Amino acid sequence: AVLCLAESADGIHWEKPSVEIFTFQGSKNNNIVYAEDDEGHLPPHGAHVAIDPSAPEQERYKMLHCARDKEGMFVAGAVSPDGIHWAAIREPIVRWASDVQTVAVWDEQHKHYKGYFRGWGDDNVPYGRRRVDHAVTDDWRRWPRPTPCLITDANDHPGTDIYTNAFTPWPGAQDAYLMFPVFYPHASDAMETHLAVSTDGRIWQRPLRER
């Protein structure tokens, strides 16, 4: 897996500039900005990039992604001054089997980072029932053990998993947060995007159950 750069002025029309950092098929004429290489970068599976307004310039952009070593899956990180040139963080951000989608942002109002991770069940073993887990920290490089914040309930089909969480602060609002999680009922084999809202980022409600 690699992470590639695309840019847009309107969110509709996108360009893929050549950044000439990594060699692919014998050429550096590509838009790859992060990949596994001889310097020890980890392949960025399920990567999430965010701008951190509280960070020094060299770490203004932050990335989280899933990685694996001999001990199992974990959440890895990298930092960048421009979102193009990345420095990998060698130690796990948190030892947690979160493959997709880990989202972490700086919460300016509460002066900490809010993180949302894949959860797999009580023992966090991959291939259990999927849910969304939550943690907060003052140090982006060190996260506590996440705890569940969004799970399926009695109104969901019993064979339903929650995939990407798509967390975001509610723009222009205080103490208001949004999620657009994908629910996957295995029986129908169809993805459903739902809305979830929260006033603290920990307890979530789903006001509209329609997809």
Side-chain angles (χ1 to χ4, degrees), residues 151-166:
I151 62 175
T152 55
D153 59 31
N155 292 314
D156 295 306
H157 188 280
T160 299
D161 283 329
I162 304 177
Y163 277 66
T164 54
N165 61 71

Side-chain angles (χ1 to χ4, degrees), residues 61-94:
Y61 288 79
K62 288 185 167 63
M63 182 202 316
L64 296 178
H65 63 87
C66 174
R68 184 187 295 272
D69 60 15
K70 62 182 180 180
E71 296 182 35
M73 295 170 61
F74 63 93
V75 178
V79 294
S80 169
D82 55 11
I84 299 174
H85 302 89
W86 291 90
I89 296 172
R90 305 306 177 187
E91 297 298 320
I93 298 296
V94 61

